[in-house]
C-alpha cells in the first residue's frame, strides 16, 4: 500500500499503474470505522486499484462546527486500510488541495466552488449547515478530477450528500459511476460514524433511539401507511422516550430529488438529524413501495435463463430479457450498415434507440420485441444477429447505454433478470439476489446431454469440462461485466437438483424475504 500526501505523487503513481485497470475511489474524512469498511470492501471487489482519500475538508465545516475537534488518526487509518487491502491512500493537507491555509485566508470567498442546485442544499441538513454541501461538492469534484476513478463509493448514511453527488456527476457529465452502499450499524442499531467517538457511554446507550424511531416508521409504512404526517409521527413517538434528544429535523423527501413529499408513491427517504449533548447525529431509512427486483447471476450453464423465466412466470413478474435487448441493438446496427469498428457511430445510434419488450403470456416465445418502432421479435433470432451479438455486446458503450435502459425499465420494480453482473452492477439494490451455480462436472454433464439430444454428441465430457473451466476463467476476469457474486447474494448450487426444485427454492426465498421486509 502507498500513501501520498501530494497531488504530484498521487498522479504519478496512478499514471504508472492504471493502464487498462479499473480504479475505485472511496472519499472519507478518516477516523475509519466499519461503515467506511463496507465501502472499501465493495470497492475492493469491483476494482483493480482502490484509492481511499482521507481529508478533513475545511470547506464543508461552518463557523462554530467541529473542524478543529474532528478526529484525526492517520496512523490508525493506515493500518485499517492496509488490512482492508487498499492500494493507495491519498491524504493531502488543505494547503496542498486548496493552495492556501484555510485558517489564514478566507478560501470560502477566494476559491472556485461547485454549487449544487439550491433546492437540494437548502433542506434537511442544509438548514443548519449553510455552505456545507457546496464544500462537499467542491472537494468531491476535485477528488474525482484528481483520481479519475471508474467508480466512486458513498454511503447511504449521508443520503443528502449521495443525492447531491449523483446530481452533480450527471449535471457536469463527470465520467464516473457513483456506487451507494447501505448503512452499516452497530449491533445496537446506531449507525457507525466518526462522530460517535464524541458520545459519552450514557449517550451511546441512548443514541440507537434514532434507528428505533426509523424502524417504527418503517413498520408503519410496511403496514400500508403512506402519509407524511403519520410516518414522521411514528419516528417522533419513539424519540419522545429520551428527553435528552434534541431533534433538528425529521423529514420525508424523495431520495433522488430531495423534494419534500406529502405521500410516498414509489419511494421516500425518511431522514433525521438530532443532537445528543453537543454531538450531532444523522440517520435515515428508505421507504420503498415498489414491486421487488430479483437478480440472478451465475456462471454459464448453471440453468439461469430457464430458472429466471420460470420464477418470473410463477411470481407474475416481468422477465427482463437483457439478451433480447442486445440482440435488438445488434439487429439495428446491422440494419444501419454501421461498421463494427466505428464505435462512435454505434454510440450515437444506441444512445438514441428505443427498445420495448412486451410479454403477452408466460411462454418464452411470447415476448415481443420492438426497436425504434419496428417489431423485431423474429428478426433478432436470425443467424446474422446470432453471429454478431457477442461482438456488439462486448462494446463498452453498448453495455453502458443498455444498462441505463434496463435500470429505467426496472425503476418501478416487478422484474426478474439474469446475467453475470445483474446483482452487482445493473441492480445493486435488488430485493433478492441469487448466485446460481453448479460444479464444472455437472454443467459439462448437462451440456453433453443437450448436445446428445440435438444429435451433436461427438465431444467428450473431459473436453466440455475443460471448455467450461476456461469460460469461467474468462468470464470472471473480463473487464466488461465480469462474473461476480454480490456480497449479499444467496448462492444456490444446483448440482443434483431439478429445474423445478431450484425454481421452488428461489420462490420460497423470495417469500421469506418479502415477509422479513414486512417485519421491517
Ligand atoms: P465520512 O468520513 O464521514 O465523510 O464518510 C465517508 C464515506 O463513508 C461517506 O460516503 C459516508 O456516507 C460513508 N459512511 C460513513 N458512515 C457510514 C455508515 N455507517 N454506513 C455506510 N457508509 C458510511
Amino acid at each position: 500500500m502507498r500513501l501520498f500526501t501530494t497531488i504530484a505523487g498521487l498522479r504519478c503513481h496512478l499514471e504508472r499503474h492504471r493502464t487498462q485497470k479499473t480504479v475505485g475511489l472511496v472519499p472519507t474524512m478518516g477516523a475509519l470505522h466499519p461503515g467506511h469498511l463496507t465501502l472499501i470492501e465493495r470497492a475492493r471487489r469491483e476494482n483493480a486499484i482502490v484509492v481511499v482519500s482521507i481529508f478533513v475538508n475545511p470547506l464543508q465545516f461552518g463557523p462554530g462546527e467541529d473542524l478543529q475537534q474532528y478526529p484525526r488518526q492517520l496512523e490508525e487509518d493506515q493500518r485499517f486500510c492496509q488490512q482492508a487491502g487498499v492500494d493507495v491512500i491519498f491524504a493531502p493537507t488543505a494547503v496542498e488541495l486548496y493552495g492556501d491555509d484555510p485558517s489564514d485566508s478566507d478560501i470560502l470567498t477566494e476559491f472556485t466552488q461547485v454549487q449544487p442546485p439550491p433546492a437540494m442544499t437548502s433542506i434537511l441538513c442544509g438548514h443548519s449547515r449553510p455552505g456545507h454541501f457546496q464544500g462537499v461538492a467542491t472537494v468531491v469534484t476535485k477528488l474525482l478530477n484528481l483520481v479519475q476513478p471508474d467508480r466512486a463509493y458513498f454511503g447511504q448514511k449521508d443520503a443528502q450528500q449521495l443525492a447531491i453527488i449523483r446530481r452533480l456527476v450527471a449535471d457536469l457529465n463527470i465520467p464516473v459511476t457513483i456506487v451507494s452502499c447501505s448503512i452499516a450499524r452497530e449491533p445496537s442499531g446506531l449507525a457507525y460514524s466518526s462522530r460517535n467517538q464524541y458520545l459519552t457511554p450514557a449517550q451511546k446507550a441512548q443514541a440507537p433511539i434514532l434507528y428505533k424511531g426509523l424502524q417504527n416508521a418503517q413498520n408503519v409504512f410496511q403496514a400500508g401507511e403512506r402519509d407524511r404526517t403519520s410516518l414522521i409521527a411514528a419516528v417522533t413517538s419513539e424519540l419522545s422516550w429520551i428527553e435528552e434528544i434534541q431533534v433538528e429535523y425529521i423529514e420525508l423527501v424523495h431520495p433522488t430529488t430531495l423534494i419534500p413529499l406529502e405521500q410516498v408513491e414509489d419511494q421516500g427517504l425518511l431522514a433525521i438529524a438530532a443532537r445528543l449533548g453537543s454531538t450531532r447525529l444523522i440517520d435515515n431509512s428508505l421507504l420503498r413501495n415498489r414491486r421487488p427486483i430479483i437478480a440472478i447471476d451465475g456462471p454459464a450453464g448453471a440453468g439461469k435463463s430457464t430458472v429466471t423465466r420460470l420464477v418470473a412466470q410463477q411470481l407474475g413478474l416481468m422477465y427482463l430479457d437483457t439478451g433480447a435487448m442486445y440482440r435488438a441493438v445488434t439487429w439495428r446496427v446491422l440494419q444501419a450498415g454501421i461498421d463494427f469498428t466505428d464505435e462512435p457511430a454505434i454510440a450515437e445510434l444506441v444512445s438514441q434507440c428505443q427498445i420495448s419488450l412486451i410479454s403477452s403470456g408466460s411462454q418464452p416465445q411470447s415476448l415481443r420485441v420492438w426497436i425504434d418502432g419496428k417489431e423485431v421479435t423474429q428478426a433478432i433470432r436470425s443467424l446474422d444477429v446470432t453471429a454478431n451479438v457477442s461482438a456488439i455486446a462486448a462494446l463498452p458503450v453498448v453495455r453502458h447505454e443498455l444498462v441505463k435502459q434496463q435500470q429505467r425499465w426496472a425503476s418501478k420494480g416487478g422484474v426478474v433478470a439474469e446475467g453475470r453482473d445483474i446483482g452487482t452492477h445493473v441492480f445493486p439494490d435488488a430485493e433478492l439476489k441469487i448466485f446460481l451455480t453448479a460444479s464444472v462436472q455437472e454443467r459439462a454433464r448437462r451440456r453433453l446431454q443437450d448436445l446428445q439430444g440435438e444429435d451433436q454428441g461427438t465431444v467428450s465430457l473431459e473436453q466440455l469440462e475443460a471448455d467450461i473451466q476456461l469460460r469461467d476463467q474468462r468470464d470472471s476476469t473480463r473487464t466488461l461485466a465480469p462474473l461476480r457474486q454480490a456480497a449479499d447474494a444467496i448462492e444456490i448450487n444446483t448440482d443434483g437438483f431439478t429445474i423445478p426444485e431450484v425454481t421452488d427454492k428461489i420462490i420460497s426465498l423470495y417469500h421469506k424475504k418479502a415477509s422479513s421486509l414486512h417485519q421491517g
Side-chain angles (χ1 to χ4, degrees):
M1 187 181 73
R2 301 288 300 263
L3 166 75
F4 297 102
T5 58
T6 65
I7 291 173
L10 173 80
R11 280 201 152 142
C12 182
H13 179 86
L14 288 176
E15 263 161 38
R16 292 180 61 171
H17 289 86
R18 74 179 313 148
T19 39
Q20 300 285 311
K21 292 187 182 147
T22 53
V23 176
L25 169 68
V26 182
T28 80
M29 297 206 298
L32 302 177
H33 52 66
H36 296 115
L37 187 61
T38 59
L39 274 62
I40 295 172
E41 283 176 342
R42 175 103 187 253
R44 181 69 289 164
R45 281 198 300 277
E46 297 181 353
N47 301 278
I49 299 174
V50 175
V51 181
V52 171
S53 64
I54 298 179
F55 179 61
V56 182
N57 174 34
L59 278 193
Q60 68 190 67
F61 286 77
E65 290 192 340
D66 56 346
L67 174 61
Q68 302 307 330
Q69 197 195 347
Y70 198 87
R72 288 163 174 85
Q73 48 187 58
L74 188 56
E75 274 182 26
E76 265 177 81
D77 287 348
Q78 264 178 273
R79 282 196 292 275
F80 187 102
C81 287
Q82 178 85 49
Q83 276 188 1
V86 169
D87 301 295
V88 175
I89 296 179
F90 178 49
T93 59
V95 176
E96 177 69 11
L97 220 51
Y98 294 119
D100 214 338
D101 183 343
S103 53
D104 287 350
S105 74
D106 191 357
I107 55 173
L108 275 174
T109 55
E110 289 174 9
F111 197 85
T112 306
Q113 290 210 55
V114 178
Q115 201 197 344
M120 297 183 87
T121 58
S122 58
I123 52 160
L124 305 176
C125 292
H127 279 305
S128 63
R129 307 192 73 186
H132 170 70
F133 291 108
Q134 186 169 316
V136 169
T138 303
V139 79
V140 169
T141 304
K142 280 174 75 70
L143 290 168
L144 293 176
N145 283 334
L146 288 170
V147 177
Q148 300 189 12
D150 297 274
R151 303 182 187 85
Y153 295 80
F154 293 88
Q156 175 63 33
K157 156 101 185 332
D158 298 270
Q160 186 174 13
Q161 167 175 291
L162 176 65
I164 289 172
I165 287 165
R166 281 195 191 284
R167 176 66 77 80
L168 160 86
V169 160
D171 286 353
L172 301 185
N173 309 102
I174 302 179
V176 64
T177 299
I178 300 298
V179 180
S180 69
C181 301
S182 51
I183 304 178
R185 299 180 181 280
E186 297 196 7
S188 67
L190 173 65
Y192 284 107
S193 162
S194 307
R195 289 191 169 97
N196 291 354
Q197 294 188 16
Y198 304 152
L199 297 170
T200 64
Q203 290 170 335
K204 190 114 192 246
Q206 293 171 326
I209 197 76
L210 263 62
Y211 179 55
K212 292 210 180 79
L214 292 168
Q215 260 188 321
N216 200 27
Q218 186 69 250
N219 291 340
V220 169
F221 177 75
Q222 296 301 342
E225 184 58 72
R226 298 288 177 265
D227 179 66
R228 166 194 186 81
T229 318
S230 311
L231 290 167
I232 291 178
V235 186
T236 318
S237 67
E238 198 64 37
L239 294 187
S240 62
W241 289 102
I242 298 202
E243 259 176 40
E244 290 85 346
I245 291 263
Q246 297 161 281
V247 174
E248 191 181 291
Y249 66 78
I250 304 172
E251 256 291 3
L252 179 67
V253 298
H254 191 278
T256 310
T257 60
L258 304 180
I259 292 171
L261 299 177
E262 284 306 316
Q263 288 275 325
V264 181
E265 297 290 333
D266 53 342
Q267 50 180 341
L269 173 76
L270 198 53
I272 176 168
R275 278 182 192 276
L276 254 180
S278 56
T279 307
R280 187 172 179 277
L281 300 171
I282 57 169
D283 203 342
N284 67 78
S285 182
L286 273 174
L287 306 176
R288 273 222 200 117
N289 188 24
R290 70 172 192 194
R291 301 183 71 211
I293 295 181
I294 303 180
I296 302 180
D297 287 307
K304 280 178 317 227
S305 58
T306 318
V307 166
T308 304
R309 272 183 221 283
L310 287 169
V311 168
Q313 182 185 326
Q314 291 183 27
L315 288 175
L317 302 173
M318 178 193 169
Y319 169 48
L320 182 64
D321 189 344
T322 53
M325 295 175 80
Y326 286 103
R327 281 176 172 272
V329 163
T330 305
W331 176 86
R332 186 76 182 79
V333 171
L334 288 168
Q335 194 226 19
I338 300 173
D339 187 327
F340 284 12
T341 57
D342 191 352
E343 253 189 88
I346 295 176
E348 289 252 311
L349 186 86
V350 177
S351 63
Q352 295 178 76
C353 76
Q354 301 277 338
I355 303 173
S356 309
L357 303 177
I358 296 178
S359 178
S360 56
S362 55
Q363 296 308 309
Q365 53 277 26
S366 64
L367 183 82
R368 297 177 65 187
V369 185
W370 277 263
I371 186 162
D372 295 337
K374 186 159 170 45
E375 178 163 8
V376 290
T377 311
Q378 301 298 329
I380 62 168
R381 305 289 161 195
S382 72
L383 286 177
D384 210 10
V385 170
T386 305
N388 291 298
V389 63
S390 51
I392 291 290
L395 298 174
V397 64
V398 170
R399 195 173 145 71
H400 184 76
E401 289 302 326
L402 287 193
V403 166
K404 272 203 302 200
Q405 289 212 15
Q406 289 154 15
Q407 289 170 339
R408 262 202 306 273
W409 265 88
S411 62
K412 295 227 175 331
V415 155
V416 191
E418 51 99 359
R420 282 191 304 262
D421 66 346
I422 298 284
T424 49
H425 178 63
V426 185
F427 303 126
D429 61 354
E431 280 74 7
L432 180 62
K433 297 181 189 173
I434 302 289
F435 194 77
L436 209 61
T437 172
S439 64
V440 171
Q441 293 73 17
E442 173 82 10
R443 284 185 282 150
R445 203 182 51 72
R446 291 179 192 164
R447 183 85 188 111
L448 189 64
Q449 254 176 9
D450 286 351
L451 290 173
Q452 283 166 347
E454 293 161 16
D455 260 353
Q456 298 182 34
T458 50
V459 193
S460 72
L461 196 62
E462 290 71 32
Q463 182 57 48
L464 286 172
E465 285 181 10
D467 291 351
I468 288 173
Q469 232 146 13
L470 196 69
R471 171 132 191 217
D472 282 356
Q473 159 77 9
R474 265 207 316 258
D475 280 351
S476 42
T477 51
R478 60 203 301 157
T479 34
L480 192 70
L483 171 66
R484 277 195 316 252
Q485 179 166 0
D488 51 352
I490 300 170
E491 182 172 320
I492 300 180
N493 187 323
T494 63
D495 281 16
F497 291 100
T498 63
I499 296 264
E501 282 170 339
V502 176
T503 309
D504 284 351
K505 174 133 184 83
I506 295 176
I507 289 175
S508 84
L509 284 168
Y510 166 79
H511 288 309
K512 226 163 57 203
K513 190 82 186 209
S515 72
S516 78
L517 282 175
H518 251 71
Q519 286 152 20

